[in-house]
């Protein structure tokens, strides 16, 4: 079941301000609860008023913990008129942010943080977090990029009563005890069962689904599973023709021919030559610090031509099956059965595990710092040192999952696509799969063989016979940053126009002199391409907020 309500409302000590008593946004697939299942049946029968009362009865008897039994990625808002209680909830798998502001006993909430602010929106920006936005990283767990506006983290509930609020964690990721197999094949078999179970639960209609196919193993495995269970699918692929370092078109064609699935190619390289690849008139309410927004726009337009409104991809594949941050060989060996340790150790001899060396001074701040240091002011570099905890990579897989579930950039994308009536679904994001991933031995995420390291071996073995052998064995990553490099080299003038006299220079994030020097050197500009585009996207967000301020001020002046 999918729900498309725009979540916005207010709880006060006297009354709620809501379009309806029960508001839902997102997907609800199944309720695993053994008792109090009436609300789910009410939703299935499209009787939302009955479901609302069932929710109220359930929460009054068992609290909101019962929502742990629900398999879904959704937001919920509910008001109990009789008890004067308001409830907000964001499920663990929901990647769309829900913002709230609590002031003088009143609670306002919305999917759009700007709804919670009055005039002078830019004055509400947490300027010390602008650098975090430029790094395409998150604010602290429950904060937003706006002062006094907070986010409800995934898996948390908020209860409003008597002019006060109570926030509780309802769902947690746990490393549960499970089978410890004697070889990798046990994990392959369990993963296959979990993926099949998840896909069959979530795709129950005959509606056609769009699959964003890169050409890699993650999205290819999603396409294969959907085809296998009988879901009508069309693959959409971004073709980077002429950008060899990033083009996987031949692989996408091979996959779709093998699976007998329609393929629609979206030509990207020609779009780069036009200045609207990055459009300074885009409207963002939260920062979107990535270069691919135009590609998602083009994809949304394309799938609309086929009357499709749900798009999936292989997102989460890297996290569930891929390698952890670099750890010692000793830790690798400790996680697998004794009889396999010698073979693993022997294969690893002479296999290069090195990664590019970074200057220690900058790496201590952030692994991304080398991409930014040449355009930042000295003040923002010192700020980066003080905010280094927000700029670093996750320390372990549990942190990595929580970060990706609560990422503001992806929430921004989902919200903007929602406005176009396009809904993102992540079929590999299930609680069972994530908790399974937390107990996969380190050594089965990245294995040495034939002098090279092969990542995601479990996912590869799962797809033997399901996908072309070339795709299963492909062990190299295309450089998606090549697209950024091409754009910056071809459009240095636009980058300069956006950033040289910008809000980011006014806020002392970017040093205009350093920026000019970097852009004068094509080699340097190409090296910094990803960071330059991320800063451009943050600047576009700030300009979008400024236009809202100007529009509000103009309306007020006309009213006077």
């Amino acid at each position: 079941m999918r729900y498309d309500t725009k979540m916005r409302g207010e709880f006060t000590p006297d009354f709620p301000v809501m379009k309806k008593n029960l508001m839902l946004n997102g997907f609800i697939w199944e309720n695993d609860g053994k008792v109090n299942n009436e609300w789910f049946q009410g939703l299935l029968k499209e009787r939302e008023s009955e479901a609302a009362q069932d929710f109220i009865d359930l929460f009054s008897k068992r609290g909101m913990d019962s929502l742990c039994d629900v398999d879904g990625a959704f937001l919920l808002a509910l008001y109990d008129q009789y008890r004067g209680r308001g409830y907000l909830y964001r499920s663990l798998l929901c990647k769309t942010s829900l913002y709230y502001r609590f002031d003088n006993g009143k609670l306002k909430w919305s999917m759009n943080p700007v709804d919670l602010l009055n005039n002078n929106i830019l004055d509400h920006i947490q300027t010390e977090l602008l650098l975090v936005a430029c790094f395409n990283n998150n604010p602290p767990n429950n904060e937003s990029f706006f002062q006094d506006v907070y986010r409800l983290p995934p898996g948390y509930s908020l209860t409003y009563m008597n002019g006060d609020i109570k926030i509780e964690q309802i769902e947690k990721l746990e490393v549960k005890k499970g089978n410890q197999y004697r070889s990798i094949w046990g994990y392959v078999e369990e993963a296959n069962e979990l993926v099949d179970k998840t896909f069959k639960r979530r795709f129950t209609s005959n509606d056609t689904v769009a699959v964003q196919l890169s050409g890699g193993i993650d999205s290819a495995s999603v396409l294969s599973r959907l085809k296998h269970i009988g879901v009508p699918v069309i693959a959409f692929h971004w073709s980077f023709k002429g950008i060899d370092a990033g083009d996987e078109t031949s692989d996408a064609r091979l996959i779709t021919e093998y699976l007998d699935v329609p393929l629609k190619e979206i030509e990207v390289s020609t779009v780069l030559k036009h200045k609207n690849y990055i459009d300074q008139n885009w409207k963002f309410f939260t920062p979107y610090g990535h270069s691919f927004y135009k590609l998602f726009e083009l994809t949304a337009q394309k799938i609309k031509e086929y009357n499709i409104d749900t798009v999936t991809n292989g997102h989460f594949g890297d996290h569930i099956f891929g390698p952890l941050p670099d750890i010692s060989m000793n830790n690798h060996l400790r996680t697998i059965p004794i009889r396999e340790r010698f073979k693993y150790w022997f294969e690893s001899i002479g296999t290069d595990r090195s990664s590019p060396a970074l200057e220690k001074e900058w790496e201590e701040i952030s692994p991304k710092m080398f991409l930014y240091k040449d355009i930042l002011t000295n003040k923002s570099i010192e700020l980066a040192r003080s905010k280094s905890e927000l700029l670093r990579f996750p320390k372990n897989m549990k942190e990595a999952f929580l970060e990706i579930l609560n990422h503001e950039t992806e929430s921004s994308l989902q919200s903007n696509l929602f406005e176009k009536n396009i809904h993102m679904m992540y079929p590999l994001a299930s609680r069972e799969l994530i908790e399974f991933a937390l107990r996969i031995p380190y050594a089965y995420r990245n294995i040495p063989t034939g002098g090279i390291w092969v990542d995601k071996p479990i996912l590869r073995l799962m797809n033997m016979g399901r996908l072309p052998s070339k795709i299963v064995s492909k062990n190299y990553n295309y450089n998606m940053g090549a697209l950024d490099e091409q754009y910056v080299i071809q459009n240095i003038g636009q980058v300069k126009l956006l950033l040289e006299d910008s809000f980011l220079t006014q806020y002392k994030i970017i040093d205009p002199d350093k920026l000019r020097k970097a852009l004068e050197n094509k080699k340097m500009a190409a090296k910094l391409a990803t960071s330059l585009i991320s800063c451009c996207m943050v600047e576009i967000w700030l300009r979008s907020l400024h236009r809202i301020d100007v529009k509000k001020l103009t309306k007020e002046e006309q009213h006077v």
Side-chain angles (χ1 to χ4, degrees), residues 19 44 47 75 102 104 138 175 249 276 319 323 365-366 391 420 464 467 547 556:
K19 286 184 178 179
L44 281 175
R47 298 173 181 170
L75 301 172
F102 185 61
N104 292 324
N138 272 341
V175 184
T249 303
N276 68 348
H319 284 69
I365 300 174
S366 167
L391 303 178
K420 305 176 191 296
M464 289 179 63
L467 290 171
R547 289 196 299 272
E556 288 177 2

Side-chain angles (χ1 to χ4, degrees), residues 272-294:
L272 291 179
K273 299 175 183 178
H274 303 289
K275 289 187 177 180
N276 68 348
Y277 178 74
I278 290 183
D279 188 346
Q280 60 182 326
N281 294 314
W282 274 330
K283 187 177 181 181
F284 292 108
F285 300 116
T286 53
Y288 181 81
H290 202 284
S291 64
F292 283 177
Y293 185 72
K294 184 67 176 182

Side-chain angles (χ1 to χ4, degrees), residues 262-429:
L263 173 66
K264 308 300 175 184
E265 296 178 17
I266 299 171
E267 177 57 52
V268 173
S269 54
T270 54
V271 181
L272 291 179
K273 299 175 183 178
H274 303 289
K275 289 187 177 180
N276 68 348
Y277 178 74
I278 290 183
D279 188 346
Q280 60 182 326
N281 294 314
W282 274 330
K283 187 177 181 181
F284 292 108
F285 300 116
T286 53
Y288 181 81
H290 202 284
S291 64
F292 283 177
Y293 185 72
K294 184 67 176 182
L295 306 188
F296 283 108
E297 270 197 335
L298 294 172
T299 304
Q301 293 169 10
K302 196 73 174 176
I303 69 175
K304 279 291 189 182
E305 295 175 12
Y306 295 88
N307 296 316
I308 300 173
D309 60 10
T310 300
V311 59
T312 70
N313 54 34
H315 196 35
F316 281 84
D318 283 337
H319 284 69
I320 291 173
F321 300 106
L324 292 163
D326 193 27
I327 58 173
S328 69
M329 179 57 65
N330 188 42
N331 282 336
H332 268 282
L333 294 175
R334 278 209 312 257
T335 62
I336 55 177
I338 293 175
R339 67 188 184 88
E340 290 200 359
R341 292 181 189 177
F342 177 77
K343 179 182 177 183
Y344 193 94
W345 172 79
F346 183 79
E347 285 281 1
S348 69
I349 296 174
T351 304
D352 184 18
R353 299 179 70 240
S354 62
S355 55
L358 303 176
E359 295 179 48
K360 188 175 181 180
E361 176 190 1
W362 305 116
E363 188 177 14
E364 287 178 349
I365 300 174
S366 167
K368 300 180 187 177
M369 194 65 189
F370 75 100
L371 293 171
Y372 290 84
K373 63 183 179 65
D374 293 308
I375 59 172
L376 297 180
T377 63
N378 292 335
K379 179 182 177 181
S380 61
I381 289 174
E382 289 307 309
L383 178 63
R385 293 186 198 279
S386 68
K387 298 289 183 184
S388 60
E389 280 298 318
L390 299 177
L391 303 178
R392 292 174 181 163
F393 291 158
K395 297 175 183 176
N396 52 55
M397 282 311 300
K398 190 172 182 179
E399 271 193 21
F401 277 118
L402 292 174
E403 179 188 76
I404 199 172
L405 288 167
N406 199 26
H407 206 289
E408 277 289 76
T409 288
E410 294 179 17
S411 174
S412 180
L413 173 64
Q414 290 213 155
S415 296
N416 280 29
L417 290 178
F418 173 75
E419 294 296 325
K420 305 176 191 296
N421 196 33
I422 299 295
H423 306 273
M424 296 285 288
M425 185 190 287
Y426 305 98
L428 292 177

Side-chain angles (χ1 to χ4, degrees), residues 126 129 132 138-144 151 387 390 406:
Q126 294 204 64
L129 292 180
V132 176
N138 272 341
N141 192 37
N142 69 327
E143 293 186 29
S144 76
R151 294 182 298 154
K387 298 289 183 184
L390 299 177
N406 199 26

